[in-house]
Amino acid sequence: MREFLTIDREANQIRLRRSTFSGTFLLVEGSSDKTFYERFIDKAACQLASVSGKPSSKLRAIAVLEILEKSTFQGILAIIDADFERLETLTYTSPNLFRTDTHDLETMLINSPALNKVVAEFGSEEKIAQFNREIRLALLETGMSVGYLRWLSQCDGLNLTFEGITFSKFIDEQTLQIDELKLIREVKNKSQAFSLKDEDLQQRLMSQKNKSHDSWQICCGHDLVQLLSLGLRRAIGSNKVADVEPNSLERNLRLAYEEVYFCKTQLYLDVRIWENNNQPFRVLRNEV
């Protein structure tokens, strides 16, 4: 009950802000998303509101948007991570709700030339040549197994814990190849889900896979960044753990992401169409 009261409170805070600001309010998930999207908005015409907390930032953003829409609040929109929604039936649709092109913000960064710039900064030319695989593709191919297990956990209501898993326990640091059985065991241990059988999970994981699925919708950005961190220590670089720590790499990817990359996304086009349909409200700077 308290959570829903807090969602109402967040909606009311935006209503209060309307008394001093007549422009657009853009809801986003959490502080890092706010930092990212802040670079592209017209701050005179649009203000950001980051939503975080339980049950999840995404669900809270949708709930706040829904409350405001029902009260005919004008000039409100939200950007959320797509997660696995494009592989399923969308839980909630609205002309004011937009999703990232790929699974989440971090996969959008990795799917852009920002990745090339970060690899050029932290990688070793010699090791990259010896690696003999396209780095982005290697991250995707390996990250798919973790992504599918995440999706399986969600579909089957297994409530598996992925936060804090140690990737080096199931990833070959030289090749970035994955051992799925070791992945399952690491996630089971982290989740204290000892009643689940390794073989059953592995079989279920295999049946979940489908060649028609888009890798960019399956893979979780945080997982790909973890893999990149591992790779930059041995497979494609010789960095110390502290120098390529995942949170630091995510910041570097955000910094390396240029406005021109954002302009090529479907999300950018969607927001521009929203502006056209909701005049005089604006979101993005004219030069973006």
Side-chain angles (χ1 to χ4, degrees):
M1 187 66 178
R2 189 179 299 168
E3 288 166 359
F4 289 104
L5 287 172
T6 308
I7 289 168
D8 279 326
R9 195 175 296 128
E10 291 199 61
N12 285 332
Q13 284 177 348
I14 292 173
R15 288 193 186 102
L16 286 170
R17 287 166 67 177
R18 173 59 82 218
S19 62
T20 57
F21 181 70
S22 60
T24 308
F25 290 100
L26 171 58
L27 296 169
V28 296
E29 296 183 52
S31 57
S32 60
D33 284 28
K34 184 180 179 186
T35 301
F36 175 79
Y37 290 112
E38 222 159 25
R39 295 165 51 195
F40 309 118
I41 67 165
D42 182 338
K43 292 178 183 175
C46 178
Q47 288 186 6
L48 281 160
S50 65
V51 182
S52 58
K54 293 181 179 180
S56 75
S57 302
K58 176 177 180 172
L59 292 176
R60 289 175 72 83
I62 291 172
V64 171
L65 176 66
E66 201 171 5
I67 289 169
L68 293 171
E69 285 177 331
K70 284 178 179 176
S71 66
T72 64
F73 187 93
Q74 299 295 305
I76 182 76
L77 73 161
I79 297 174
I80 59 173
D81 287 342
D83 295 328
F84 298 108
E85 289 193 52
R86 288 197 178 92
L87 304 167
E88 305 167 337
T89 303
L90 292 178
T91 52
Y92 181 72
T93 58
S94 161
N96 303 309
L97 179 67
F98 303 103
R99 292 169 173 84
T100 50
D101 287 22
T102 53
H103 186 97
D104 49 32
L105 176 57
E106 289 72 28
T107 45
M108 277 182 64
L109 299 177
I110 290 170
N111 195 27
S112 78
L115 175 67
N116 306 64
K117 294 203 280 186
V118 169
V119 169
E121 178 70 26
F122 293 99
S124 154
E125 284 187 21
E126 184 182 351
K127 286 196 169 191
I128 290 169
Q130 290 172 349
F131 187 62
N132 204 29
R133 290 171 74 198
E134 206 276 309
I135 293 160
R136 188 178 281 104
L137 186 59
L139 296 177
L140 273 180
E141 287 174 347
T142 301
M144 286 273 280
S145 293
V146 190
Y148 268 118
L149 189 58
R150 284 180 179 273
W151 191 25
L152 172 63
S153 173
Q154 181 178 300
C155 292
D156 290 5
L158 301 178
N159 295 315
L160 296 175
T161 299
F162 291 83
E163 190 173 346
I165 59 173
T166 304
F167 277 66
S168 58
K169 288 185 178 179
F170 52 85
I171 300 291
D172 185 312
E173 294 187 27
Q174 292 285 11
T175 65
L176 295 187
Q177 299 282 357
I178 191 166
D179 184 320
E180 285 190 349
L181 197 54
K182 288 181 179 178
L183 161 67
I184 287 168
R185 287 169 181 162
E186 169 66 5
V187 172
K188 271 181 53 181
N189 287 337
K190 182 61 69 173
S191 311
Q192 301 286 293
F194 303 117
S195 61
L196 296 174
K197 292 183 179 178
D198 295 353
E199 296 75 15
D200 291 347
L201 272 179
Q202 194 169 28
Q203 186 61 43
R204 184 72 182 86
L205 188 59
M206 284 177 65
S207 65
Q208 188 87 347
K209 294 179 180 180
N210 189 315
K211 288 182 180 178
S212 69
H213 291 152
D214 181 352
S215 307
W216 290 108
Q217 303 300 331
I218 294 288
C219 291
C220 170
H222 294 303
D223 295 338
L224 299 188
V225 173
Q226 287 276 359
L227 292 169
L228 179 61
S229 174
L230 270 184
L232 288 170
R233 294 177 220 168
R234 292 193 67 180
I236 57 170
S238 305
N239 296 277
K240 295 175 182 175
V241 175
D243 294 336
V244 288
E245 185 265 333
N247 285 335
S248 176
L249 279 181
E250 286 183 12
R251 283 194 297 273
N252 278 293
L253 284 164
R254 287 195 296 270
L255 288 170
Y257 191 90
E258 299 178 23
E259 290 181 1
V260 67
Y261 310 154
F262 184 61
C263 292
K264 293 177 181 177
T265 64
Q266 183 62 45
L267 176 59
Y268 169 83
L269 291 175
D270 289 342
V271 174
R272 285 300 194 198
I273 291 168
W274 184 92
E275 289 178 324
N276 193 50
N277 293 336
N278 290 271
Q279 294 180 20
F281 293 105
R282 288 176 30 244
V283 179
L284 303 171
R285 299 204 316 270
N286 287 332
E287 56 266 36
V288 171

